[in-house]
C-alpha cells in the first residue's frame, strides 16, 4: 500500500446512529494492463475449521484478483456492511481480511476464477462451484454460511425460488443464509438496506447457533 493522506470515513448503522470514525488510506489503482492480466486469477480462501460464519462470494472480480484480497474493489459494500451490522468493531480494509479468522469468520467463493463480471460464469460452473462449496463446508464445519448473491445461489444449488434470507435447506448441518451481492453495481441494495440485512443475519445466527457461547465478538 502506497503511503498517503488518510481520508476520514463516517458510516451510519441501520438505526441511523453514527458509527466509529476510521482513517482509511487512499486506494492504489491498478493499470488497465494489470487488470487484464488478472483474468482467470484466484483469491485464496480465508478459512479455518469450525468457524462461526463462512461468507461465500460468487467469484472474484478483476480488481480483487489483482489485489489478492476478497471484495477489494473500491465501492464494494461488503466491508462497510460488516462494520455497520456489528460483525466487526471497525471498518476493515480488504488487506486486513486475515483478522476475520480470530473473530470466527471466513471468506471463500463459489467459483475461483476471476472475471470482469459474474454473469460471465456458466450455469455448469456455478453448479460445480456449489458442489465444491458443500465439500468445503463438510471439511471445515462452519456453524453458519452466508452466500452473497441470490441469483448465483439459485443456480448453484438448484433452488430457483430462493429469496434473500434464511434457507430451509442446510448444507452439511450449517444454517444457510442468502445475502445480496454487495457489489457497488447492485442498485437494488444500497448501503443502509444492505447493512440491515447483514444485521438480521448476525442476530439470527446469535439466536439460533450461539446460545450459551460468548457472543460479544459477533
Amino acid at each position: 500500500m502506497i503511503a498517503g493522506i488518510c481520508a476520514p470515513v463516517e458510516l451510519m448503522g441501520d438505526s441511523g446512529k453514527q458509527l466509529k470514525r476510521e482513517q482509511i488510506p487512499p486506494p492504489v489503482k491498478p493499470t488497465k494492463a494489470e487488470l487484464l492480466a488478472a483474468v482467470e486469477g484466484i483469491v485464496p480462501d480465508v478459512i479455518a475449521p469450525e468457524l462461526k460464519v463462512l461468507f461465500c462470494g460468487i467469484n472474484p472480480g478483476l480488481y480483487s484478483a489483482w489485489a489478492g484480497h476478497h471484495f477489494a474493489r473500491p465501492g464494494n459494500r461488503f466491508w462497510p456492511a460488516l462494520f455497520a451490522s456489528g460483525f466487526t468493531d471497525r471498518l476493515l480494509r480488504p488487506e486486513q481480511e486475515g483478522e476475520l479468522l480470530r473473530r470466527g469468520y471466513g471468506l471463500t467463493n463459489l467459483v475461483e476464477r476471476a472475471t470482469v463480471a459474474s454473469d460471465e460464469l456458466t450455469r455448469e460452473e456455478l453448479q460445480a462451484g456449489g458442489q465444491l462449496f458443500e465439500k468445503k463446508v463438510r471439511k471445515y464445519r462452519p456453524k453458519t454460511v452466508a452466500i452473497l448473491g441470490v441469483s448465483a445461489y439459485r443456480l448453484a444449488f438448484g433452488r430457483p425460488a430462493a429469496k434473500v434470507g434464511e434457507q430451509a435447506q442446510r448444507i452439511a448441518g450449517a444454517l444457510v443464509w442468502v445475502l445480496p451481492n454487495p457489489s457497488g453495481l447492485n442498485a437494488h441494495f444500497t448501503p443502509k438496506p444492505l447493512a440491515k440485512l447483514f444485521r438480521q443475519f448476525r442476530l439470527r445466527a446469535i439466536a439460533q447457533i450461539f446460545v450459551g457461547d460468548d457472543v460479544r465478538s459477533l
Side-chain angles (χ1 to χ4, degrees):
M1 179 67 65
I2 297 175
I5 298 175
C6 296
V9 173
E10 294 182 358
L11 296 176
M12 304 297 291
D14 53 62
S15 65
K17 183 179 179 180
Q18 183 173 309
L19 299 175
K20 184 182 294 186
R21 187 174 176 139
E22 187 80 14
Q23 296 292 321
I24 307 299
V28 178
K29 295 182 179 180
T31 64
K32 183 177 181 180
E34 287 173 328
L35 285 178
L36 291 175
V39 173
E40 305 290 331
I42 65 172
V43 178
D45 287 348
V46 178
I47 199 166
E50 299 183 0
L51 293 168
K52 297 172 183 176
V53 181
L54 179 58
F55 292 96
C56 180
I58 302 171
N59 76 309
L62 298 188
Y63 199 107
S64 290
W66 166 79
H69 302 292
H70 294 266
F71 306 107
R73 185 179 180 85
N76 191 288
R77 296 164 181 157
F78 176 77
W79 298 103
L82 279 190
F83 177 32
S85 61
F87 274 105
T88 59
D89 58 1
R90 61 191 177 91
L91 178 61
L92 297 178
R93 301 187 300 275
E95 63 269 25
Q96 296 173 315
E97 60 190 8
E99 294 189 24
L100 292 180
L101 290 178
R102 66 180 178 84
R103 302 169 189 265
Y105 314 141
L107 298 169
T108 187
N109 286 295
L110 285 173
V111 177
E112 285 189 338
R113 76 179 183 98
T115 58
V116 175
S118 61
D119 60 9
E120 296 179 27
L121 301 175
T122 66
R123 178 186 296 269
E124 291 73 23
E125 280 184 289
L126 287 168
Q127 290 173 341
Q131 293 171 2
L132 289 174
F133 180 70
E134 288 187 29
K135 292 180 180 178
K136 196 172 294 185
V137 173
R138 289 191 180 93
K139 177 180 179 180
Y140 289 99
R141 306 178 305 282
K143 294 182 179 179
T144 66
V145 299
I147 297 172
L148 302 165
V150 64
S151 296
Y153 174 79
R154 290 169 180 164
L155 290 173
F157 297 96
R159 308 290 181 188
K163 298 180 180 179
V164 168
E166 183 176 353
Q167 306 303 302
Q169 298 78 20
R170 297 200 173 202
I171 296 178
L175 182 147
V176 178
W177 197 281
V178 174
L179 289 167
N181 184 342
S183 168
L185 300 177
N186 186 352
H188 297 290
F189 292 95
T190 52
K192 188 174 180 179
L194 186 66
K196 182 177 181 179
L197 290 170
F198 268 65
R199 179 171 175 78
Q200 288 174 355
F201 167 53
R202 174 175 170 265
L203 294 177
R204 176 68 176 89
I206 291 172
Q208 181 68 19
I209 303 298
F210 304 122
V211 174
D213 288 354
D214 181 358
V215 299
R216 288 174 294 178
S217 62
L218 295 172

